[in-house]
Amino acid sequence: MPANLKYLNKSPWQQFAKISAGILGGYIITALFHMSLALWLPNPQGILISFIFTFFIVWCTLLTIPFLFNNGWKAWLLYMGIIAILLGVYILGNQHNPFI
């Protein structure tokens, strides 16, 4: 059964925004989230080991979220806000990094 045409995007820019937000934005959010966890929690080695398994699960979840938006650029805006917050958390945690 084919998809209903009224639910499909006609604009290639919206398709690009959703796909790039899902792939690139989701990857950056997932990486910053796990790096921040490794800096803030007491057992960084355990987090880095479990990073292998949870990275793919979180990234796949974040990959699908932009397709729930009508506008792909709003998804990018949301992801950029999350990236800014996680980057701030990472920078604050990296000031007291025991590995440096």
Side-chain angles (χ1 to χ4, degrees):
M1 185 167 160
N4 194 344
L5 293 178
K6 70 179 181 179
Y7 295 114
L8 297 177
N9 275 340
K10 305 257 189 286
S11 169
W13 288 108
Q14 287 297 319
Q15 293 173 353
F16 171 75
K18 290 179 182 182
I19 292 170
S20 64
I23 294 173
L24 187 63
Y27 185 84
I28 293 170
I29 290 173
T30 305
L32 280 172
F33 175 71
H34 283 87
M35 290 180 345
S36 297
L37 280 180
L39 288 175
W40 284 94
L41 293 179
N43 186 9
Q45 292 83 13
I47 292 171
L48 292 177
I49 290 171
S50 66
F51 174 74
I52 297 167
F53 304 108
T54 59
F55 188 90
F56 185 71
I57 296 168
V58 174
W59 184 48
C60 286
T61 304
L62 291 173
L63 183 79
T64 59
I65 289 175
F67 293 99
L68 300 175
F69 286 82
N70 288 331
N71 190 346
W73 301 113
K74 288 183 182 178
W76 257 120
L77 185 65
L78 174 70
Y79 276 16
M80 292 304 279
I82 294 171
I83 288 170
I85 291 169
L86 286 173
L87 188 61
V89 169
Y90 175 75
I91 289 171
L92 285 174
N94 202 20
Q95 291 175 353
H96 304 290
N97 189 355
F99 301 116
I100 293 179

